[in-house]
Amino acid sequence: MTQGVGRIGRYVRMVAQPGQGSALAEQLMRVADGLRDAPGCELYIINRTPDEPDTVWVTEVWADAAASDAALSRDMGEAGIGEVLALLAGPPEFVDLAPVGGPGLR
Amino acid sequence: MTQGVGRIGRYVRMVAQPGQGSALAEQLMRVADGLRDAPGCELYIINRTPDEPDTVWVTEVWADAAASDAALSRDMGEAGIGEVLALLAGPPEFVDLAPVGGPGLR
């Protein structure tokens, strides 16, 4: 699989400090709103987990790695990545993906 | 969080028998193509994993649980769920999600 060319995706798992799952989801929705017009941002979906109220997963798909790097460094800064990090109980975990296709992907 | 009402999502992790990751992804793309017009199917994205060539993740979002149940029981049967299962090294693993919103979600 090639690196650095073509569409990329990831799942990001974040665990908030106890009782802070709703606050984390709200802050991440602010980040998501800031990415609506970001070039190459195909998906940036905030998900709660029914069985783990303090865990939030983000589903990301980007046109390429450069678009992801550019948008997340710029827009997450503007949207308050500091506020996101302050809510976490530990570092985020990542599952790196190479999206192939399917309904919902442009 | 309510059960049974409103949008649901899940990540499904499938591990193919050794060397069968491409065949699994291809078969799942056939399932995905069969779901393009399924009522309530908002996302059904097939993803390979750069670091684990035999692992495939499916990103699903459905309008509600009933839409998911109806489409997967009907269309995966038609599209050959038997062929998917025959390629797996073990049972699929699921992460159940409650999508909140973000770019790419209708």
Side-chain angles (χ1 to χ4, degrees):
Chain A
M1 228 162 286
T2 54
Q3 294 279 337
V5 177
R7 191 179 258 160
I8 66 157
R10 64 178 77 90
Y11 304 144
V12 185
R13 180 176 187 267
M14 301 188 207
V15 180
Q17 294 176 25
Q20 296 296 305
S22 291
L24 176 59
E26 283 168 20
Q27 186 61 34
L28 284 165
M29 278 299 296
R30 281 184 209 115
V31 174
D33 287 339
L35 292 170
R36 280 192 191 278
D37 298 320
C41 181
E42 301 190 15
L43 289 183
Y44 194 90
I45 301 175
I46 311 308
N47 304 275
R48 304 209 55 189
T49 45
D51 299 331
E52 295 176 47
D54 291 328
T55 299
V56 179
W57 285 90
V58 183
T59 307
E60 301 182 27
V61 175
W62 298 89
D64 53 41
S68 170
D69 293 347
L72 293 179
S73 60
R74 184 185 63 239
D75 292 336
M76 286 191 78
E78 289 174 1
I81 184 64
E83 275 117 332
V84 169
L85 295 177
L87 290 167
L88 300 185
E93 294 170 23
F94 299 87
V95 178
D96 287 314
L97 301 170
V100 180
L105 212 55
R106 289 164 216 165
Chain B
M1 227 164 288
T2 54
Q3 294 278 338
V5 178
R7 190 179 259 159
I8 66 156
R10 64 178 77 89
Y11 303 145
V12 186
R13 180 177 186 265
M14 301 189 207
V15 180
Q17 293 176 26
Q20 296 296 305
S22 292
L24 177 59
E26 284 167 21
Q27 186 60 35
L28 284 166
M29 278 300 295
R30 281 185 210 113
V31 174
D33 287 340
L35 292 170
R36 278 190 193 280
D37 298 320
C41 180
E42 301 190 14
L43 289 183
Y44 194 89
I45 301 175
I46 312 306
N47 303 275
R48 305 211 50 191
T49 45
D51 299 331
E52 295 176 47
D54 291 328
T55 299
V56 179
W57 284 90
V58 183
T59 307
E60 301 181 27
V61 175
W62 298 89
D64 53 41
S68 171
D69 293 347
L72 293 179
S73 59
R74 184 185 64 238
D75 293 336
M76 287 191 77
E78 289 174 1
I81 185 65
E83 277 117 331
V84 169
L85 294 177
L87 290 166
L88 299 185
E93 293 170 23
F94 299 87
V95 178
D96 288 313
L97 302 170
V100 180
L105 213 56
R106 288 163 217 164

